[in-house]
Amino acid sequence: MTDTLTRPAAPARSGLGTLAAPRGTATKVAANVVLLVIALCFVLPMAWVLVASFDAEATLSFGLPDAVTTANFAAIMTPELTWVPLWNAFVLSAGSGAITVVVAVLAAYPLSRYRMRFGKYFLYSVLFGTCLPITAIMVPVYALFVQLNLLDSLPGTIFFMAATSLPMAIWMTKNFMDSVPISLEEAAWTEGASAMQALRRVVLPLMRPGIAVVFIFVFVQAWGNFFVPFVLLLSPEKQPAAVSIFAFFGQYGSVAYGQLAAYSLLYAVPVLGLYVLVTRISGSAFALAGAVKG
């Protein structure tokens, strides 16, 4: 007696199933077209900056130069025009990033580790702080800086830029700190460690990638900030690169497009390097919860 193997009959395809594929293909094609248009909107200005920086007679219109030259880079390689503003931008960005990270860690620790009666409302108030436009508070801030004699002061500007970045930094730091199990701190407490010692020796080493992400986030924001240094810093030798870029805009509408493009390339190099660093750190930072829980 032989056994007969029967293959189950394939389910019949309905008419709706056959019509879903063309619709899905049309949706994908439309989405790709939209993404291509958006990509062109970003690629064309970047291509103009790259080409115009090597064109001695660059204009606002895009076109290949007749002769490639480095005269634009040679013209901007001066301390007053490039190196001092870039240094000022680094001081403002690094200083505000360091202060923001320290305060954000100290503020996020009790929000992450303790159940407080008004903790949720406090977090909502912090979130509301991220919604305030900087232009709406600059008038009272300017008056306050005048009264405190902090106008045209790099330290005062650093503290204010750190304060404006603090609400989002607290939220980000709290999310990273929530991924570290509190059982690790409890083991340190049983060994006689205090809360601050457990934070410094247990929690912070495990969330180093998250701290790096928060620092770079604040650094990039401060690096591209134009309005705050423009209002609070009056001396040309204290202004960052985001403000000194106005030096390439002359009177009566004349603009040194070639030098402006070359300066923009130098100005973008540190930010591009930090973005590459973020992509390398973000993977391990967001995978932190899966690494320590389990």
Side-chain angles (χ1 to χ4, degrees):
M1 181 180 234
T2 59
D3 296 334
T4 305
L5 297 176
T6 60
R7 182 175 299 175
R13 295 182 178 179
S14 61
L16 296 176
T18 57
L19 294 177
R23 291 180 181 178
T25 303
T27 303
K28 291 181 180 179
V29 171
N32 291 332
V33 170
V34 172
L35 292 176
L36 181 61
V37 172
I38 296 176
L40 289 176
C41 294
F42 285 92
V43 169
L44 290 179
M46 294 176 62
W48 176 87
V49 170
L50 182 61
V51 173
S53 62
F54 295 97
D55 188 0
E57 300 179 355
T59 60
L60 191 58
S61 61
F62 178 81
L64 296 178
D66 297 332
V68 178
T69 179
T70 59
N72 295 323
F73 291 95
I76 66 173
M77 293 297 182
T78 60
E80 298 80 8
L81 194 60
T82 301
W83 304 124
V84 172
L86 287 177
W87 172 252
N88 293 335
F90 175 79
V91 171
L92 289 174
S93 303
S96 60
I99 294 174
T100 302
V101 167
V102 173
V103 178
V105 168
L106 296 178
Y109 183 71
L111 295 174
S112 175
R113 288 299 186 256
Y114 301 103
R115 293 184 177 271
M116 295 180 291
R117 183 177 181 182
F118 301 101
K120 183 183 297 184
Y121 301 102
F122 178 76
L123 283 175
Y124 287 151
S125 63
V126 171
L127 183 62
F128 174 75
T130 62
C131 303
L132 293 175
I134 194 66
T135 54
I137 62 175
M138 281 310 299
V139 173
V141 167
Y142 182 85
L144 180 63
F145 269 56
V146 171
Q147 293 180 359
L148 297 178
N149 198 19
L150 291 176
L151 200 62
D152 200 22
S153 171
L154 281 175
T157 306
I158 289 174
F159 277 103
F160 177 71
M161 295 176 68
T164 57
S165 303
L166 191 58
M168 183 59 67
I170 292 176
W171 272 85
M172 295 175 63
T173 307
K174 180 184 178 301
N175 291 333
F176 287 122
M177 196 172 292
D178 288 342
S179 62
V180 180
I182 195 173
S183 58
L184 300 178
E185 292 179 74
E186 293 174 348
W189 294 339
T190 57
E191 297 294 333
S194 63
M196 288 295 100
Q197 290 176 341
L199 172 64
R200 186 176 66 254
R201 298 181 181 180
V202 178
V203 179
L204 292 183
L206 290 176
M207 55 177 297
R208 283 178 183 173
I211 294 176
V213 170
V214 174
F215 175 82
I216 295 172
F217 171 79
V218 177
F219 185 96
V220 172
Q221 275 196 332
W223 183 267
N225 196 321
F226 165 80
F227 190 66
V228 172
F230 180 76
V231 174
L232 299 181
L233 296 176
L234 305 180
S235 301
E237 62 272 8
K238 294 182 180 180
Q239 292 177 350
V243 179
S244 64
I245 200 171
F246 267 110
F248 302 103
F249 294 86
Q251 296 180 351
Y252 308 108
S254 61
V255 182
Y257 290 107
Q259 298 179 16
L260 176 62
Y263 188 86
S264 300
L265 285 180
L266 293 179
Y267 179 67
V269 167
V271 177
L272 292 177
L274 285 176
Y275 272 121
V276 173
L277 186 61
V278 166
T279 57
R280 294 181 176 273
I281 294 177
S282 297
S284 59
F286 290 109
L288 181 62
V292 298
K293 292 181 179 179

